[in-house]
Amino acid sequence: MYYREYPPQPALAAYVDCLWAAQAPAHASQHRVLPDNCVDILWQDAGQSGRTPHSAFVVGMMSSPILAAGSDARRTLAVRFKAGAAGLFLRAPLQELNDQRAEIDLLWGDSDASRLADALWERERPERQRLALIEAYLLQRLCAAQAAPKAAVLAEQHAAGLIGYALAALEHSDGSLRIEDLAARLGVSRQHLATLFRQRVGLTPKLYARICRFRRATATLRQTSAPDWSELALVCGYFDQSHLIHDFQQFAGAAPQRFLLNA
């Protein structure tokens, strides 16, 4: 399996975590994808498979693992957005995309989506040049969003500032910060914060925090072969071991012990 990540150009660095490219070998087996608090857009070329030549789709925020289907040597180009940033480019409430795969032409319009797909795959070109085409189109959409009426831009900046602070605080605490305390820091109600999160992140603040905590736990597990489960739960911010197990069952589809065996 070929996989490589690229940093975005500076103008997109505030919104894009990375661009990536992948190519699976023929007859690749399924693999499990875990929630990661990210939204991705994928462009795929089916090659000689006989399927529809190209596809492009958004994978929204995930609250449970998914099995990525086995492949027939298709090539994939993709952009992974930072949490809270995808909505600016998709122009859709992100909660509607949770645990969903949505065709990009439904969000961008068939003509725009088709032009970009044709440019990506119409002829052979270096991988980085293909990704530069994606970046150029994202910059067009960003400029269009920033050209909105001043009042709309100011409202967008205010909401983005609140969400940006909230996301950074939750990430910094690995999801251990209480949502009530976070709302108090921001000077908003918990309900208002939850509404902003659903619209601009996709998940609720509580669920986003749980996935932050789960990601810390999986990263810690990958660094040890014989964990003390009670200590792991405590270090990663869980109330007890049963809460750790519950989150692994929801987000990984397996108990921590089985996850460690398959990691």
Side-chain angles (χ1 to χ4, degrees):
M1 173 75 177
Y2 167 76
Y3 176 83
R4 183 175 180 182
E5 293 183 357
Y6 298 86
Q9 62 173 273
L12 291 170
Y15 313 98
V16 172
D17 183 64
C18 70
L19 294 106
W20 56 271
Q23 184 161 4
H27 311 299
S29 60
Q30 290 183 328
H31 63 280
R32 192 178 299 272
V33 181
L34 306 183
D36 59 2
N37 281 342
C38 291
V39 174
D40 289 51
I41 305 178
L42 287 72
W43 290 264
Q44 293 185 327
D45 176 28
Q48 304 301 315
S49 68
R51 302 181 315 173
T52 302
H54 311 306
S55 61
F57 53 92
V58 179
V59 177
M61 282 285 198
M62 295 162 51
S63 62
S64 59
I66 60 173
L67 283 177
S71 174
D72 41 23
R74 63 189 171 189
R75 294 179 293 178
T76 301
L77 302 172
V79 55
R80 179 170 300 134
F81 293 99
K82 293 183 176 180
L88 188 62
F89 299 87
L90 297 174
R91 303 293 182 85
L94 291 188
Q95 74 266 27
E96 297 180 3
L97 301 177
N98 287 353
D99 295 308
Q100 300 291 325
R101 164 179 160 159
E103 300 303 314
I104 197 64
D105 58 359
L106 298 178
L107 299 172
W108 284 353
D110 186 61
S111 59
D112 280 1
S114 296
R115 280 197 298 271
L116 179 54
D118 289 344
L120 288 175
W121 306 115
E122 65 184 354
R123 62 182 175 85
E124 287 301 320
R125 65 176 84 224
E127 183 172 274
R128 197 62 183 92
Q129 287 187 14
R130 295 183 197 270
L131 294 172
L133 293 172
I134 295 173
E135 288 183 300
Y137 184 72
L138 294 177
L139 283 172
Q140 289 180 26
R141 295 189 71 84
L142 179 61
C143 289
Q146 293 173 340
K150 184 176 180 179
V153 172
L154 291 175
E156 166 65 30
Q157 290 174 344
H158 176 70
L162 284 176
I163 287 296
Y165 180 94
L167 292 169
L170 289 174
E171 291 284 352
H172 181 72
S173 71
D174 289 317
S176 63
L177 178 63
R178 295 176 67 248
I179 305 305
E180 293 86 350
D181 295 339
L182 176 58
R185 285 190 195 180
L186 294 168
V188 299
S189 69
R190 178 170 178 163
Q191 292 76 15
H192 181 68
L193 181 60
T195 298
L196 280 178
F197 255 75
R198 284 192 293 268
Q199 293 173 345
R200 294 173 173 272
V201 178
L203 308 176
T204 64
K206 183 176 180 179
L207 182 53
Y208 185 93
R210 286 178 59 203
I211 294 173
C212 287
R213 198 159 49 236
F214 166 75
R215 291 169 63 198
R216 181 182 180 186
T218 58
T220 304
L221 268 183
R222 291 188 175 104
Q223 298 172 5
T224 181
S225 59
D228 179 316
W229 297 107
S230 296
E231 181 181 353
L232 177 72
L234 180 63
V235 167
C236 294
Y238 287 95
F239 181 74
D240 55 26
Q241 187 176 335
S242 66
H243 284 78
L244 171 75
I245 293 170
H246 178 269
D247 273 9
F248 267 80
Q249 289 173 334
Q250 177 174 343
F251 299 137
Q257 294 91 332
R258 181 168 294 277
F259 174 87
L260 181 59
L261 290 174
N262 297 329

